[in-house]
Structures are given as C-alpha cells and as structure tokens.
Amino acid sequence: MDIELEQLAINLFDIGAFKFGEFVTKVGLKTPIYFDLRVLVSHPKIMTRLARMLLLFVEECPNVARICGVPYAALPLATLISIDSNVPMLIKRKEAKTYGTKKIIEGNFKPGDSCVIIEDVVTSGSSILETADILRREGLKVTEAFVVIDREQNGKKNIESHGILMRSLYTTTKLMTYLLKANKISPKIVKDVTDYLLISQAPIISPDTRLMMPFHIRASRCKNAIGSKLFNLMESKQSTICLAADLTKADAVIELADLVGPHIVLLKTHVDILEDFSDNFIKRLKELAKKHDFLLMEDRKFADIGNTVCLQYEKGIYKIAQWADVVTVHAIAGQSIIDGFKNSLKNISEPRGLFILAEMSSKGALTIGEYVQNAINIAQNSDIVVGVVCQSDIFSSPGLIQLTPGVKILKSSDDLGQQYNTPESVVNSGADLAVVGRGITEAEDKLAATLKYKEELWTAYIKRITS
C-alpha cells in the first residue's frame, strides 16, 4: 500500500493537486501549501485509484450502511467508493431545499444506520463536523471519517474529540517525504512547510454544548436579563411552550391565557389582528402574565429603518414598548434596526429583548444562505437579542434561545404554505422554545392539548441533554 500511495502522491503533484506559494485556507490560516483535489474530476484514472485506496478503509469498517461525501470535492470519491463497495450513498446538501420536501440529506436511510464520511482535505475538521452534526440529527450513527489528506493542523484532534475516528491516506509530512524523494520539491520547501506546521494550528472546536447544556446553566450565559428569565422559567415550569394566541377577539385571548397560562412560558400575540384592541386588554393581559408567571411577546416582525422602528415600537395605538417583554425583528435592515431598539429602550425602565428572525417555517421562504448567517452574526454580537427564530441548529452560543415555529403533534402543512414539525423533531433540531398555535387554539380541549405538548416537548428536551 505504501508504494502505491507514494506513486499516487507523485501523480497528484503532476496534475496540479498540490500547490506551493502563499495561500489562505478555509479557516483563515495562511499557508505555503495548498491542496486542490477538485482537479481530480479531470483525471478519472487517478481519481479511481485514489477512491480504491479509501475503499480499503471502508472495507475494514464493520456494519457500514451508508457513505456520505462532504460537498463538493469529496462527492466524486464517495460516488466511486459507493459503486465499488455497493454501499448506498447519501448527499448532504450545502443548504436545505426551499421547495418540495426541503431535504438537506438526499438518499434513503433508516434511523440508526451507520454512515461513514468521506472528505478530501482536513484542516480544522469543521466540514466533517458540520456534516456529522446534520447526519446525526437525522438519526444516523457517525463514528468514522476517511480522508485523503490530513494537514496536521488540529483537524484530527477536533474530529476525534466529537466521537469520530479519522483515518487519512496522507499527512502533509508524509506527502513532503514522498515528493522530496521523487525530486518534485526542494529541501527548502519541505523546511518551509514543516516550520509552518509547527506554528500554525487551526482553533480547537469544542463539542457543541448548547444542545446538551441544561437551561439553568445556559441562563448564566445570557447577555440579556429577559433571556435569562426565559431559561429559568422553562426550567422551573418544565415547559418550553410559546403559545401563539393568534385570535381576533380580545376576550378569547384573555380566556385562553388564563386557562393555559400556568403551563406556558411565553404568550405570543399579534395585536394588530385584534378587532377590539384596547388599553384594557393590555392591562388584563399583563395581570395574567404576572399571575401565571409567563412573559409576553408581540410578534411584530419589525423590518424597517431605525427611526421608523422606534416610532412603531413606542408610539401608535399599541405602544408595544410599554408592555411586550420581547418582540420579533427581521434582520433585513442590518445593525441599524438593533440600534433603533436600543435608542427606544432609553425610555423604558423594565428589561426588554428581541428575537432575530433567521429562518421562517413557510414554504419557499427566502431566509436562506448568507442572509441566515448575517442574522446569526447580529444576534451573537448584541446584548439586546435574547434568541433566534429558526428551524434548525444554526448557531452555537449557549446564551441564545432558539425559538422554532410550526410545531404540531402530527407533521403536516396548511393551504397557505405553513409547514409543521413534531415536538420531538424540532427539539432535536435545536429548538429551546417551541411555538405552538393551532394545535392548541383549535383543539376541542385546549388545556388537555397544552398539557400534551408540554409533556412531549419537555420529554424531548430531557432526552436531548442526557443522550
């Protein structure tokens, strides 16, 4: 095998898969050597030989049910391995589809299936860990990753600290040995690369503790008093329900809040749909919130420039700033919308917070790609933001709350594009607070329905932090 690897290393050099000079890796590290295995698609014979070397790892791994290549460079290799081994392949999309089934994993599998990951080059290990996280959330077991090149920059350490054994055909050091022996590179290049490896390491990636950390511990990590209070409420009431009271009559909202208030932590309103809104409604609602110990959220979804947002928040007939503990905010206006709220809060003595909308539960939503990451960046760098509205585990900060809408006992959708997921599935996808609306408001026995959601959500949370 060593002779074959040595010859293959020379072939890879000859087709331009290894480059020497000044480059920057995906994780931002400057490097004198760059590996570009994407060129393999133009050299099928070499790609086939490389895939067969990786196949030896797969054949030594018992009970492999599925193979998944990290997109995109490793996909051709994973495909060849799948064909030669007759082990079915899965494809992890770069992002979930916004249409149809909205899958992020393509291919057939069963929960509990063992899946190995194929990757071309590992620096920090982040790509493998991202892939493994998604596969695991879909119920697959991931314990092995097979790699062409280990750059020897903490990637193997990071991957194995997350419970995944990593094996590689090459290390950077071994490649340098092969290429120097074949007179493909000079001793100076070897020294430059060796010196570089001694001083340049990727950051250590700690295992994702957000999903495994109990609420009372995460409460201490909050930058915002309302966020801390929500975590503590969830812990003390053993409830993660945010009730969407999207009703059009004030008395109906009040009656529902009084009935289920002891079992929820957050009541979500849309005051602009009330046909009989009044200051007295707000007074009664605040009294119930105090009586049953829950917080109020106006789901206003602010999305304008800072000055306009200030007026919408403070003024008008609703005077939201005076009574809503938290509000929802689109990230579309950027940092200026956060600055607008901060300016408004100068006149408010009580603690307040914002939920940033990063993803939506409606079919075909445009909250995808860079928009999502930019929203997360705003959330993680603001002391006024208590959490993120999203459908999946897209941030790591334990001090932020993931609020996930579209929850029903039975997975379904409506005629207007709203898509629902089960309590257990949203918790496994990172939800801390789950928005439940019609599953309770349209139930024949609303209290019984609330208790059912409360039990299922809490059971899923306990399972998440103890598994």
Side-chain angles (χ1 to χ4, degrees):
M1 181 175 179
D2 197 59
I3 295 174
E4 173 68 11
L5 284 174
E6 185 173 351
Q7 183 57 53
L8 199 50
I10 295 168
N11 296 147
L12 289 168
F13 177 86
D14 289 340
I15 64 172
F18 312 146
K19 296 178 172 65
F20 299 91
E22 291 186 5
F23 307 94
V24 177
T25 68
K26 175 185 173 182
V27 295
L29 297 175
K30 291 183 178 180
T31 172
I33 183 170
Y34 180 69
F35 301 111
D36 182 13
L37 297 190
R38 289 174 177 81
V39 300
L40 282 169
V41 295
S42 298
H43 303 275
K45 288 185 178 180
I46 295 175
M47 182 167 62
T48 299
R49 287 168 56 201
L50 194 60
R52 286 176 178 164
M53 299 301 287
L54 287 169
L55 175 61
L56 297 176
F57 290 157
V58 175
E59 291 174 341
E60 294 171 5
C61 185
N63 304 317
V64 175
R66 296 292 184 272
I67 292 169
C68 182
V70 176
Y72 288 109
L75 288 180
L77 292 170
T79 302
L80 290 172
I81 293 168
S82 175
I83 292 169
D84 282 349
S85 64
N86 199 33
V87 175
M89 178 177 161
L90 301 176
I91 297 177
K92 182 191 83 72
R93 300 177 66 91
K94 279 282 190 178
E95 56 191 35
K97 292 193 293 185
T98 60
Y99 54 89
T101 59
K102 298 189 83 171
K103 286 182 178 179
I104 195 164
I105 299 294
E106 300 289 355
N108 298 324
F109 60 90
K110 302 187 301 295
D113 281 347
S114 175
C115 181
V116 298
I117 294 174
I118 306 298
E119 176 64 303
D120 62 338
V121 180
V122 166
T123 303
S124 70
S126 61
S127 294
I128 285 180
L129 294 178
E130 289 166 11
T131 300
D133 180 57
I134 289 171
L135 292 171
R136 285 169 167 173
R137 280 195 265 124
E138 294 291 326
L140 290 148
K141 294 180 180 178
V142 182
T143 58
E144 309 242 14
F146 304 139
V147 176
V148 179
I149 302 169
D150 173 11
R151 288 184 60 100
E152 300 177 283
Q153 291 179 272
N154 275 338
K156 181 179 175 70
K157 183 176 182 179
N158 281 330
I159 290 165
E160 296 194 342
S161 73
H162 287 71
I164 301 170
L165 177 65
M166 191 194 97
R167 299 179 66 185
S168 63
L169 294 178
Y170 300 103
T171 61
T172 302
T173 301
K174 195 70 175 176
L175 277 173
M176 294 300 98
T177 301
Y178 289 148
L179 296 178
L180 180 65
K181 180 181 176 182
N183 294 317
K184 295 292 183 178
I185 57 175
S186 67
K188 182 181 184 304
I189 288 178
V190 175
K191 182 179 186 305
D192 288 344
V193 172
T194 302
D195 290 346
Y196 161 76
L197 291 177
L198 290 174
I199 62 173
S200 185
Q201 294 289 296
I204 296 295
I205 303 173
S206 301
D208 182 9
T209 57
R210 181 177 81 87
L211 301 189
M212 298 181 287
M213 192 180 295
F215 291 147
H216 69 274
I217 294 177
R218 290 174 62 187
S220 65
R221 307 292 181 87
C222 286
K223 299 178 183 178
N224 183 283
I226 289 293
S228 181
K229 185 171 183 178
L230 275 171
F231 274 127
N232 287 323
L233 276 177
M234 289 189 283
E235 189 86 30
S236 63
K237 298 182 82 169
Q238 295 192 1
S239 173
T240 58
I241 294 178
C242 168
L243 174 63
D246 297 338
L247 305 172
T248 59
K249 297 295 183 181
D251 284 346
V253 175
I254 294 298
E255 182 181 346
L256 180 64
D258 198 20
L259 177 67
V260 305
H263 307 290
I264 66 173
V265 294
L266 193 61
L267 182 77
K268 182 177 83 71
T269 60
H270 279 293
V271 290
D272 53 356
I273 69 172
L274 286 174
E275 297 172 348
D276 53 353
F277 174 83
S278 67
D279 291 341
N280 185 54
F281 165 74
I282 295 300
K283 179 176 178 291
R284 294 163 67 195
L285 195 60
K286 289 177 69 176
E287 288 172 351
L288 287 176
K290 183 176 182 180
K291 173 184 175 183
H292 296 307
D293 203 13
F294 60 81
L295 299 182
L296 300 174
M297 179 173 81
E298 169 55 20
D299 194 10
R300 178 62 177 77
K301 296 185 175 72
F302 292 94
D304 217 314
I305 62 172
N307 183 64
T308 302
V309 163
C310 286
L311 296 173
Q312 292 172 327
Y313 187 46
E314 295 181 64
K315 307 297 182 180
I317 62 173
Y318 302 124
K319 297 179 176 60
I320 296 169
Q322 295 183 14
W323 56 270
D325 298 294
V326 287
V327 295
T328 52
V329 180
H330 280 293
I332 187 69
Q335 183 61 38
S336 65
I337 199 168
I338 305 300
D339 296 337
F341 277 102
K342 283 191 172 184
N343 186 63
S344 290
L345 293 178
K346 292 176 182 177
N347 304 318
I348 304 296
S349 59
E350 297 173 313
R352 294 287 186 259
L354 313 176
F355 273 102
I356 293 286
L357 274 87
E359 295 178 327
M360 297 183 70
S361 56
S362 54
K363 182 179 180 180
L366 302 180
T367 47
I368 58 176
E370 286 188 18
Y371 180 88
V372 174
Q373 189 54 56
N374 289 333
I376 295 300
N377 290 340
I378 290 173
Q380 293 187 145
N381 291 291
S382 174
D383 59 3
I384 192 177
V385 176
V386 303
V388 179
V389 181
C390 56
Q391 299 296 306
S392 55
D393 177 23
I394 57 175
F395 64 90
S396 59
S397 174
L400 291 175
I401 297 169
Q402 179 176 324
L403 177 67
T404 299
V407 181
K408 265 192 175 181
I409 297 292
L410 298 176
K411 188 172 183 177
S412 61
S413 62
D414 67 12
D415 295 333
L416 297 176
Q418 172 66 303
Q419 299 181 113
Y420 294 100
N421 291 294
T422 65
E424 183 175 18
S425 68
V426 298
V427 172
N428 289 342
S429 293
D432 301 312
L433 268 174
V435 180
V436 184
R438 282 173 270 183
I440 291 175
T441 60
E442 295 180 357
E444 197 169 309
D445 188 334
K446 294 175 175 54
L447 179 58
T450 302
L451 293 174
K452 177 67 173 173
Y453 277 99
K454 179 182 179 182
E455 179 186 10
E456 289 204 15
L457 287 164
W458 190 255
T459 298
Y461 158 70
I462 294 298
K463 184 178 178 180
R464 186 179 82 184
I465 64 172
T466 56
S467 63

